[in-house]
Amino acid sequence: MTTAQKSLVGGWTAYHALTPEDQKVFDEAMRGFVGVKYSPKMVSTQIVNGTNYRFKCDASMPPSDVIWEAIVEVYCPIEGVPHVVSITRI
């Protein structure tokens, strides 16, 4: 973990490139999601009773070529399955 990725409990990190673990959390939270395709580009994390994630994504709805940005917020509990909390178009 780089200095930029470390944070105090409750504080958000700066956006940074996804680690393989971040990608795994995103994939688990989005499993079964249909419709809009979200491709994470950057992530910010917050340590709470588990971890909150803010994934900055490119979004599209195939077969359209239109792409927009969105923030996909995911909560990953200490024990349990990560899940989507909200999705906000930006």
Side-chain angles (χ1 to χ4, degrees):
M1 186 177 291
T2 66
T3 303
Q5 292 171 306
K6 294 179 185 174
S7 69
L8 297 174
V9 172
W12 286 94
T13 65
Y15 278 97
H16 55 274
L18 276 69
T19 65
E21 182 63 28
D22 296 331
Q23 185 68 54
K24 180 180 173 190
V25 168
F26 183 84
D27 292 344
E28 287 181 38
M30 297 301 287
R31 185 171 291 132
F33 189 84
V34 295
V36 177
K37 177 183 177 192
Y38 294 96
S39 302
K41 302 300 178 194
M42 305 284 286
V43 66
S44 175
T45 58
Q46 178 188 43
I47 306 300
V48 289
N49 185 13
T51 305
N52 288 321
Y53 292 83
R54 286 183 183 156
F55 292 95
K56 188 179 285 188
C57 301
D58 284 342
S60 63
M61 193 176 313
S64 175
D65 291 333
V66 176
I67 296 174
W68 63 92
E69 288 188 317
I71 300 293
V72 176
E73 293 192 40
V74 171
Y75 173 66
C76 184
I78 293 172
E79 292 183 27
V81 180
H83 59 275
V84 175
V85 174
S86 69
I87 300 174
T88 306
R89 185 174 180 157
I90 54 173

